Structures are given as C-alpha cells and as structure tokens.
Amino acid sequence: MITQVRPPQPVTIGALAPLTRPGWVEAGRHLLAGLELAVGEVNDGGGIGGRPLELMVRDTAADPRRAAAAVDELAQLGVAAVAGEYHSVVARAAAARADALGLPFLCSSAVLDALTEEPTEWVARLSPPQSHGWRVYADFLLDAGHSRIAVATEPSVYWASGVRILRDHLAPRGGTVVELDVRALTPAAVCDALVDHRATVLLLLVGLPEPAVSIVRSVRRDERLTETMIGAPAGQPEFAEWATLLGGDGAAIPFLRYLPGRLGPLGARVGTALRERLSEEPSFVAFEGYDTITVLADVLRSHGTDRARIAASWPHVAVEGTRGQIRFSRTPGISVWQWARTPVQVVDRDPAEPSRLRIRHAG
C-alpha cells in the first residue's frame, strides 16, 4: 500500500494593494512586485519551517470600505497577518479593522500619522510618518529660498494633514501657505491665483492623472509663472506614468522618495530583480513591498504563525532590509509600531534626461 504524503500547508499572508482605478494603479503594481519577489525568495530558501509562504492578494482600488471588507475576509480565511497598501486613507481603514480583529498588519507604504485612532499593538509600519517626511520637504523649500507656498488641493484627510504639517513647520520660519481648492478653480484660475498671491511654489496635493496633469501643463505654459516651482511631495512624479503623460513638462518637480543615497548589496541585488520583473526602474514602493515580506518572514520563522505572538514580536524585530536595518519602536505622536530610521529624500526628474532622477535634498 502506497501512502500518499500530503504537501505541507502554506503559511498565508493577506496582501492589500490598489490594482484598479481610482487607485494609484502603478504604485499598487510596484508594491505587489516587491511583495511577490520576496515571497518567491523565501520559498526558494525553504519557506517558513518547510511550509511555503503564500500571498492572498486583494485589490483595494483606493476604497477604504473595500479594504476593511478585505481584512474581514482575510481574517476569516486564516491568514497569519496582513501586509501592504499604498493609500493612507485606505490603510487607516485596514488598520482599524486589523486592530479590532486582533490581526497583525504590517503597513508598507501609507504615511498618515494617525494610522489608528488609538495606540495599538497589532499594527507596524515601514514608511515614515507624514509629519517627518513632509517636514523634510518643507526644509528643502526653505533652503531653496521659498517662503510663499501655494497648494492646489482636493478634499482628503491625507491632503489636509499635509497642509497642516507644512503650515505648522513653515509659519515659525516666516513661510506662508495658501490653499487653492481645485474643485472650484480651473487650471487657468489656479495660475491666476498664483500670480495674485505672489507664490513662488505650487504644490500638487491632487490626484493623478487628473487634475495634476492639466495643472502642470497650464503652469508650464503661463509666461507669468516661468520662475514658479512646481512640487509634488506625495510622489506623483516617481512613476513612469508621470513622464509618459507630461514628458519634459514633468521634469524638475521635486517629490519625496524613501530610499538611501546609495543602496547596499542587498538593495542593489533586489533592485536588479525588481527592474527585470517590472520592465522599468523600480520605485521606492517596490522596495517597501520587498522589505515587508522580509520582516514578516523573519517574524514567522522566529515566532510562528500565532497572531498574538506575531504582534508581540514587533519591538524585537531586527532585520536587514533593502534600505537599512529595520527596527520598530514607539514614536511620540504615532499610534503604531514605527520604523524610525526610514531614509527620506527629495528628488526630481532631470530636465536634460527626464528618465533620470536627481537627489535634491536628504533628511
């Protein structure tokens, strides 16, 4: 009699990413590429105690309700943890459900400071809090001699938080921030407002492709605004779609990126693999995805698949990621376990070669 040996049951991790509109699809694709690359490498190395690691991917489409429902479903399916998500407002909804259900959630990319309303032991985050990254960006503006800032903005908790951070950081240093509501203003009217307020910088706190693309084109073509700098701290110009849509008009628009000045051996190797997988230059979001699985795999190997033990392990994590050693700590004002040493850069696309990124400032 032949006894059939059953293959080991996989260890499952839920993965949240915006893979359809109105989500930022390109960011979701890069995030998923990083997650999947790391899972493949974990399994090539023997998995988790001989068990394969498996992703259960759910598309959030930038919808908080859809994300919360996905967390409920994944919890019922028995995942050990949930990972991922790019949009801050969506990640906040996912974090709230994970906290309520007692399900570990390692957030890859969302930066909103208030990821949960109350302090939680269940949620950890790799990306820097918005208050840190956007203060670095504000320092870049001041160092470049800009103090009269205009922001083209849409209603959003994330955009409103960004405006507040900029205003609070710039005001004591003599800077001013004026808000331009793009729901009430055409791109041409935005240009008129920039002239009226004598702003030297316009920050795009709006969605991609629209209205961001139309606003950039209008400003670039307005002869009154040839000296006006356009900025996009949320990172819209990071992705190839930006260069495809805007060409040279999309260059010299500084944005935040969470990479070190130079990648170490691990980061360089992963960057090459991501480039092959994506058929384009990997964004920092792809590295965030890879690091997410690297952390979770280490935790699962060391502490097993029990959800409570995974959450209890956050303060003990010490993992070499693509962008440095990852450790989580409690940061004042942040309600989740936070990687406190995430590298922060301000970069833009080189006007002479829009496919090349230039580091303008580091924080």
Side-chain angles (χ1 to χ4, degrees), residues 211-230:
V213 169
S214 293
I215 293 172
V216 170
R217 285 177 176 154
S218 292
V219 173
R220 293 296 199 213
R221 285 156 178 70
D222 194 315
E223 294 182 354
R224 300 171 298 173
L225 302 173
T226 55
E227 300 299 319
T228 301
M229 189 186 87
I230 305 174

Side-chain angles (χ1 to χ4, degrees), residues 290-354:
Y290 184 94
D291 286 343
T292 300
I293 296 300
T294 300
V295 169
L296 286 175
D298 182 79
V299 168
L300 290 166
R301 290 187 184 114
S302 301
H303 300 275
T305 59
D306 178 77
R307 292 172 177 175
R309 292 187 65 189
I310 292 171
S313 75
W314 298 139
H316 308 293
V317 165
V319 175
E320 193 63 32
T322 60
R323 299 163 298 146
Q325 188 175 65
I326 298 169
R327 294 178 180 270
F328 298 119
S329 60
R330 285 299 191 185
T331 301
I334 307 299
S335 59
V336 302
W337 287 100
Q338 178 71 51
W339 182 22
R341 295 187 178 273
T342 312
V344 178
Q345 300 173 340
V346 179
V347 303
D348 68 3
R349 292 184 175 274
D350 188 342
E353 187 183 342

Side-chain angles (χ1 to χ4, degrees), residues 52-70:
L53 188 62
E54 182 179 288
L55 288 181
M56 290 186 175
V57 180
R58 296 296 182 268
D59 173 21
T60 64
D63 184 339
R65 290 174 297 181
R66 185 164 171 171

Side-chain angles (χ1 to χ4, degrees), residues 62-107:
D63 184 339
R65 290 174 297 181
R66 185 164 171 171
V71 173
D72 286 341
E73 178 200 4
L74 292 165
Q76 292 174 359
L77 290 172
V79 299
V82 174
E85 192 46 46
Y86 177 79
H87 295 286
S88 282
V89 175
V90 178
R92 187 171 67 159
R97 287 306 299 151
D99 180 50
L101 295 169
L103 178 62
F105 175 34
L106 180 51
C107 182

